[in-house]
Amino acid sequence: MKPPAAAALMLRAVAPRDWSEAMRGDLDEEFGTFADGGAARRWYWSQVLRSAAPLAAARFRLSPATLLAGLAGGPLPLWLLDRLWTYVYSQIPMKEGAVRAPEMLLATAVTVLLAGCAAGYLRGRDAFACLLACAGTAAVGLHPAVSALGVVLVAGSYLAGVRLGRRKEAA
Amino acid sequence: MPKGAALGEFEYLVLLAVLRLGEEAYGMQVRRELAERTGRDLSIGAVYATLDRLEGKGLLKAAVGEPAPERGGRAKRLFRVTVEGIAALNRTQSQMQRMAQGLRFPLPGGAV
């Protein structure tokens, strides 16, 4: 009987790196004491979900740079550009939705790519900044297609940044 | 008293749990001890966050234990109370006793 992989992954993403393995070990140890597999999985998920808030707070306390990387890599450039172009295009008749400013979309996409790549390059294997960036990007509230594209771009550029960072370390 | 020297209620309970557990004070065991003695069902994240905060204040010291198969081969993070931690516990207990002096428990008018 194994703990739910998705919950374990979520814990690994949110928990500070120094404690993540010990905490997973503790949860696995307790998980193994359950006779009923279903009850064990529900308990594991309950622990992970209830732990998310205190762990995230501890994460910010230990590494404020993580929060900054997440904000810089995702929602902030997107929101600023949207505000800028909304103002500019408010001076002329506007089209609806994502069709309105394809140049804005392209500029936003490039900014998100660069910021996500930088966040991944600098933060290494720390996936928490990427998680913040994706969540923030999706929550900005633009056209759903833009938000979804933004999340994909952030995740993809972040992973590319991580890979570049590793290649540099190996060289 | 310098800022950060005072213990919060939960910090006090966690320090006491670590002290009671001695050599076997690690996250899940602290959680079990608190559940047994206080009846509080805590998340492991809340326990770890408090343990880390206490370590940051110098009241606890952490060490890495041996990996075990029932833990998926992961080591325990063991804690012990430092000299400063003992002093903080004594100070907090003394403050609580002084505040409760002259009062008889259980206090009338409230449910236990």
Side-chain angles (χ1 to χ4, degrees):
Chain A
M1 193 167 67
K2 281 189 168 183
L9 201 66
M10 185 175 164
L11 184 72
R12 197 175 166 184
V14 176
R17 220 178 303 176
D18 288 347
W19 330 333
S20 162
E21 287 302 298
M23 202 178 313
R24 281 186 65 196
D26 285 359
L27 285 171
D28 286 1
E29 182 186 305
E30 188 75 359
F31 182 84
T33 64
F34 282 80
D36 176 7
R41 276 187 284 278
R42 281 193 296 278
W43 175 85
Y44 200 99
W45 266 112
S46 159
Q47 280 296 312
V48 170
L49 291 171
R50 288 168 59 199
S51 297
L55 289 177
R59 194 68 178 261
F60 295 148
R61 184 171 49 81
L62 291 168
S63 175
T66 298
L67 175 60
L68 291 173
L71 286 173
L76 198 58
L78 204 65
W79 183 81
L80 286 172
L81 276 168
D82 182 63
R83 293 297 94 199
L84 172 67
W85 285 106
T86 297
Y87 171 73
V88 168
Y89 279 89
S90 68
Q91 307 306 305
I92 58 174
M94 290 173 62
K95 292 178 187 170
E96 286 300 313
V99 177
R100 144 182 104 192
E103 303 88 352
M104 186 274 277
L105 271 177
L106 182 65
T108 304
V110 169
T111 307
V112 166
L113 271 170
L114 287 172
C117 202
Y121 186 83
L122 292 170
R123 298 302 299 163
R125 293 176 61 195
D126 186 344
F128 191 54
C130 182
L131 201 68
L132 272 181
C134 286
T137 302
V140 162
L142 298 180
H143 191 281
V146 172
S147 294
L149 179 67
V151 168
V152 169
L153 285 176
V154 164
S157 63
Y158 186 93
L159 290 171
V162 167
R163 206 156 173 189
L164 273 171
R166 282 187 196 160
R167 216 180 272 175
K168 193 192 174 215
E169 278 169 23
Chain B
M1 195 189 307
K3 191 182 171 187
L7 288 178
E9 181 241 359
F10 190 57
E11 290 177 334
Y12 181 59
L13 292 175
V14 168
L15 263 185
L16 283 175
V18 173
L19 191 69
R20 295 187 75 94
L21 290 167
E23 301 282 317
E24 277 302 304
Y26 61 98
M28 187 54 74
Q29 197 68 341
V30 169
R31 182 185 168 269
R32 287 180 197 130
E33 182 75 7
L34 287 167
E36 195 182 302
R37 291 191 175 268
T38 68
R40 288 165 77 160
D41 179 23
L42 300 158
S43 69
I44 190 69
V47 173
Y48 263 87
T50 307
L51 287 167
D52 182 72
R53 202 163 50 245
L54 290 168
E55 192 189 353
K57 287 184 182 181
L59 307 182
L60 288 177
K61 198 170 172 90
V64 178
E66 294 295 319
E70 64 272 14
R71 298 172 56 83
R74 296 181 184 90
K76 292 177 188 174
R77 193 171 162 85
L78 297 163
F79 293 88
R80 62 176 178 80
V81 185
T82 61
V83 170
E84 292 80 9
I86 298 285
L89 279 170
N90 285 334
R91 192 167 49 237
T92 304
Q93 180 64 11
S94 167
Q95 285 168 355
M96 285 172 64
Q97 278 175 345
R98 286 201 298 273
M99 283 304 294
Q101 208 167 29
L103 298 171
R104 294 184 69 181
F105 288 81
L107 298 170
V112 173

Short mmCIF file of all heavy atoms in Angstrom, two decimals, chain B residues 59-93:
data_model
loop_
_atom_site.label_atom_id
_atom_site.label_comp_id
_atom_site.label_asym_id
_atom_site.label_seq_id
_atom_site.Cartn_x
_atom_site.Cartn_y
_atom_site.Cartn_z
N LEU B 59 15.82 27.61 20.56
CA LEU B 59 15.25 26.87 21.69
C LEU B 59 15.27 25.36 21.44
O LEU B 59 15.09 24.57 22.38
CB LEU B 59 13.80 27.33 21.94
CG LEU B 59 13.62 28.84 22.10
CD1 LEU B 59 12.16 29.17 22.39
CD2 LEU B 59 14.51 29.38 23.20
N LEU B 60 15.45 24.98 20.18
CA LEU B 60 15.57 23.57 19.83
C LEU B 60 16.79 23.41 18.94
O LEU B 60 17.22 24.34 18.27
CB LEU B 60 14.35 23.08 19.03
CG LEU B 60 13.03 22.90 19.75
CD1 LEU B 60 11.95 22.47 18.75
CD2 LEU B 60 13.15 21.85 20.85
N LYS B 61 17.31 22.16 18.96
CA LYS B 61 18.41 21.84 18.05
C LYS B 61 18.00 20.59 17.28
O LYS B 61 17.48 19.63 17.86
CB LYS B 61 19.67 21.57 18.85
CG LYS B 61 20.95 21.65 18.03
CD LYS B 61 22.15 21.60 18.94
CE LYS B 61 23.41 21.49 18.13
NZ LYS B 61 24.00 22.78 17.78
N ALA B 62 18.23 20.60 15.96
CA ALA B 62 17.82 19.47 15.13
C ALA B 62 19.02 18.63 14.73
O ALA B 62 20.12 19.14 14.58
CB ALA B 62 17.12 19.98 13.88
N ALA B 63 18.75 17.33 14.58
CA ALA B 63 19.79 16.41 14.10
C ALA B 63 19.11 15.40 13.18
O ALA B 63 17.90 15.17 13.29
CB ALA B 63 20.46 15.70 15.27
N VAL B 64 19.88 14.81 12.30
CA VAL B 64 19.33 13.83 11.35
C VAL B 64 19.50 12.43 11.93
O VAL B 64 20.61 12.05 12.35
CB VAL B 64 20.02 13.94 9.98
CG1 VAL B 64 19.49 12.89 9.02
CG2 VAL B 64 19.83 15.33 9.42
N GLY B 65 18.41 11.66 11.96
CA GLY B 65 18.48 10.30 12.48
C GLY B 65 18.80 9.30 11.38
O GLY B 65 19.20 9.69 10.27
N GLU B 66 18.59 8.03 11.70
CA GLU B 66 18.89 6.97 10.71
C GLU B 66 17.68 6.76 9.81
O GLU B 66 16.55 6.83 10.26
CB GLU B 66 19.20 5.65 11.44
CG GLU B 66 20.48 5.69 12.25
CD GLU B 66 21.70 5.85 11.35
OE1 GLU B 66 21.74 5.21 10.29
OE2 GLU B 66 22.59 6.64 11.70
N PRO B 67 17.93 6.45 8.52
CA PRO B 67 16.80 6.11 7.65
C PRO B 67 16.17 4.79 8.11
O PRO B 67 16.84 3.97 8.74
CB PRO B 67 17.44 5.94 6.27
CG PRO B 67 18.87 6.33 6.40
CD PRO B 67 19.22 6.39 7.83
N ALA B 68 14.89 4.62 7.82
CA ALA B 68 14.20 3.39 8.21
C ALA B 68 13.30 2.94 7.07
O ALA B 68 12.74 3.78 6.36
CB ALA B 68 13.37 3.64 9.47
N PRO B 69 13.12 1.63 6.88
CA PRO B 69 12.32 1.14 5.74
C PRO B 69 10.84 1.54 5.85
O PRO B 69 10.22 1.83 4.83
CB PRO B 69 12.47 -0.39 5.81
CG PRO B 69 13.08 -0.70 7.13
CD PRO B 69 13.75 0.53 7.63
N GLU B 70 10.31 1.61 7.09
CA GLU B 70 8.89 1.97 7.22
C GLU B 70 8.67 3.45 6.89
O GLU B 70 7.52 3.89 6.81
CB GLU B 70 8.36 1.66 8.63
CG GLU B 70 9.00 2.45 9.76
CD GLU B 70 10.24 1.78 10.31
OE1 GLU B 70 10.76 0.85 9.65
OE2 GLU B 70 10.70 2.19 11.38
N ARG B 71 9.75 4.19 6.73
CA ARG B 71 9.66 5.62 6.37
C ARG B 71 10.07 5.82 4.92
O ARG B 71 10.42 6.93 4.54
CB ARG B 71 10.58 6.44 7.28
CG ARG B 71 10.22 6.38 8.75
CD ARG B 71 11.30 7.07 9.57
NE ARG B 71 11.52 8.43 9.16
CZ ARG B 71 10.80 9.47 9.55
NH1 ARG B 71 9.80 9.28 10.40
NH2 ARG B 71 11.06 10.69 9.12
N GLY B 72 10.01 4.75 4.12
CA GLY B 72 10.44 4.84 2.73
C GLY B 72 11.92 5.13 2.61
O GLY B 72 12.34 5.75 1.63
N GLY B 73 12.69 4.69 3.58
CA GLY B 73 14.13 4.91 3.54
C GLY B 73 14.54 6.34 3.90
O GLY B 73 15.68 6.73 3.66
N ARG B 74 13.62 7.09 4.47
CA ARG B 74 13.94 8.49 4.81
C ARG B 74 14.31 8.61 6.28
O ARG B 74 13.77 7.92 7.12
CB ARG B 74 12.73 9.39 4.51
CG ARG B 74 12.38 9.42 3.04
CD ARG B 74 11.20 10.32 2.73
NE ARG B 74 10.89 10.21 1.32
CZ ARG B 74 10.04 9.33 0.81
NH1 ARG B 74 9.39 8.51 1.59
NH2 ARG B 74 9.82 9.29 -0.49
N ALA B 75 15.24 9.53 6.54
CA ALA B 75 15.71 9.71 7.91
C ALA B 75 14.74 10.57 8.70
O ALA B 75 13.99 11.37 8.14
CB ALA B 75 17.09 10.36 7.89
N LYS B 76 14.80 10.41 10.02
CA LYS B 76 14.00 11.27 10.89
C LYS B 76 14.76 12.57 11.15
O LYS B 76 15.99 12.60 11.10
CB LYS B 76 13.79 10.59 12.26
CG LYS B 76 12.91 9.36 12.23
CD LYS B 76 12.85 8.73 13.60
CE LYS B 76 12.12 7.40 13.54
NZ LYS B 76 12.16 6.67 14.81
N ARG B 77 13.99 13.61 11.44
CA ARG B 77 14.61 14.87 11.86
C ARG B 77 14.33 14.97 13.36
O ARG B 77 13.19 15.20 13.78
CB ARG B 77 13.97 16.03 11.10
CG ARG B 77 14.72 17.34 11.20
CD ARG B 77 14.11 18.35 10.23
NE ARG B 77 14.47 19.71 10.53
CZ ARG B 77 15.59 20.32 10.14
NH1 ARG B 77 16.45 19.68 9.41
NH2 ARG B 77 15.84 21.57 10.47
N LEU B 78 15.35 14.70 14.17
CA LEU B 78 15.19 14.61 15.62
C LEU B 78 15.49 15.96 16.27
O LEU B 78 16.39 16.68 15.84
CB LEU B 78 16.15 13.55 16.18
CG LEU B 78 15.87 12.13 15.68
CD1 LEU B 78 17.06 11.22 15.93
CD2 LEU B 78 14.64 11.55 16.36
N PHE B 79 14.71 16.27 17.28
CA PHE B 79 14.87 17.56 17.96
C PHE B 79 15.18 17.33 19.43
O PHE B 79 14.75 16.35 20.04
CB PHE B 79 13.58 18.38 17.84
CG PHE B 79 13.28 18.82 16.44
CD1 PHE B 79 12.55 18.01 15.59
CD2 PHE B 79 13.73 20.04 15.98
CE1 PHE B 79 12.28 18.41 14.29
CE2 PHE B 79 13.46 20.46 14.68
CZ PHE B 79 12.73 19.64 13.84
N ARG B 80 15.95 18.26 19.99
CA ARG B 80 16.11 18.28 21.44
C ARG B 80 16.11 19.73 21.93
O ARG B 80 16.48 20.64 21.20
CB ARG B 80 17.38 17.54 21.88
CG ARG B 80 18.66 18.11 21.38
CD ARG B 80 19.86 17.33 21.97
NE ARG B 80 21.09 17.85 21.46
CZ ARG B 80 21.71 18.95 21.90
NH1 ARG B 80 21.18 19.64 22.89
NH2 ARG B 80 22.83 19.35 21.36
N VAL B 81 15.67 19.88 23.18
CA VAL B 81 15.56 21.22 23.75
C VAL B 81 16.95 21.70 24.17
O VAL B 81 17.71 20.97 24.80
CB VAL B 81 14.61 21.22 24.97
CG1 VAL B 81 14.39 22.64 25.48
CG2 VAL B 81 13.26 20.60 24.61
N THR B 82 17.24 22.94 23.84
CA THR B 82 18.53 23.52 24.21
C THR B 82 18.45 24.14 25.61
O THR B 82 17.36 24.19 26.22
CB THR B 82 18.93 24.62 23.22
OG1 THR B 82 17.93 25.65 23.28
CG2 THR B 82 19.04 24.09 21.80
N VAL B 83 19.57 24.65 26.08
CA VAL B 83 19.61 25.32 27.38
C VAL B 83 18.67 26.53 27.35
O VAL B 83 17.94 26.79 28.32
CB VAL B 83 21.07 25.74 27.70
CG1 VAL B 83 21.12 26.65 28.91
CG2 VAL B 83 21.93 24.50 27.93
N GLU B 84 18.70 27.26 26.21
CA GLU B 84 17.83 28.42 26.08
C GLU B 84 16.36 28.00 26.08
O GLU B 84 15.49 28.71 26.59
CB GLU B 84 18.13 29.19 24.78
CG GLU B 84 19.46 29.89 24.72
CD GLU B 84 20.62 28.97 24.40
OE1 GLU B 84 20.39 27.79 24.04
OE2 GLU B 84 21.78 29.43 24.52
N GLY B 85 16.09 26.82 25.50
CA GLY B 85 14.74 26.30 25.48
C GLY B 85 14.24 25.97 26.88
O GLY B 85 13.09 26.27 27.23
N ILE B 86 15.10 25.37 27.68
CA ILE B 86 14.75 25.07 29.07
C ILE B 86 14.46 26.36 29.82
O ILE B 86 13.47 26.47 30.57
CB ILE B 86 15.89 24.29 29.77
CG1 ILE B 86 16.14 22.95 29.09
CG2 ILE B 86 15.59 24.12 31.26
CD1 ILE B 86 15.11 21.87 29.36
N ALA B 87 15.30 27.37 29.60
CA ALA B 87 15.10 28.66 30.28
C ALA B 87 13.76 29.27 29.87
O ALA B 87 13.03 29.82 30.71
CB ALA B 87 16.25 29.61 29.93
N ALA B 88 13.43 29.19 28.58
CA ALA B 88 12.16 29.75 28.08
C ALA B 88 10.98 29.02 28.70
O ALA B 88 9.97 29.64 29.06
CB ALA B 88 12.11 29.65 26.56
N LEU B 89 11.09 27.71 28.83
CA LEU B 89 10.01 26.91 29.44
C LEU B 89 9.83 27.32 30.91
O LEU B 89 8.70 27.52 31.36
CB LEU B 89 10.34 25.42 29.36
CG LEU B 89 10.03 24.74 28.03
CD1 LEU B 89 10.63 23.34 27.99
CD2 LEU B 89 8.54 24.68 27.78
N ASN B 90 10.95 27.43 31.61
CA ASN B 90 10.87 27.82 33.03
C ASN B 90 10.26 29.20 33.19
O ASN B 90 9.42 29.43 34.06
CB ASN B 90 12.27 27.80 33.66
CG ASN B 90 12.76 26.38 33.91
OD1 ASN B 90 11.97 25.45 34.08
ND2 ASN B 90 14.07 26.21 33.91
N ARG B 91 10.68 30.11 32.30
CA ARG B 91 10.19 31.49 32.36
C ARG B 91 8.68 31.54 32.10
O ARG B 91 7.93 32.18 32.82
CB ARG B 91 10.94 32.31 31.33
CG ARG B 91 10.77 33.82 31.43
CD ARG B 91 11.80 34.54 30.58
NE ARG B 91 11.88 34.04 29.23
CZ ARG B 91 13.00 33.57 28.65
NH1 ARG B 91 14.13 33.53 29.31
NH2 ARG B 91 12.98 33.14 27.39
N THR B 92 8.24 30.81 31.07
CA THR B 92 6.82 30.81 30.70
C THR B 92 5.98 30.18 31.80
O THR B 92 4.92 30.71 32.16
CB THR B 92 6.61 30.04 29.39
OG1 THR B 92 7.43 30.62 28.38
CG2 THR B 92 5.16 30.07 28.94
N GLN B 93 6.45 29.08 32.34
CA GLN B 93 5.72 28.41 33.42
C GLN B 93 5.61 29.33 34.63
O GLN B 93 4.55 29.44 35.26
CB GLN B 93 6.43 27.10 33.80
CG GLN B 93 5.78 26.32 34.90
CD GLN B 93 4.40 25.81 34.53
OE1 GLN B 93 3.98 25.86 33.37
NE2 GLN B 93 3.66 25.33 35.51
#
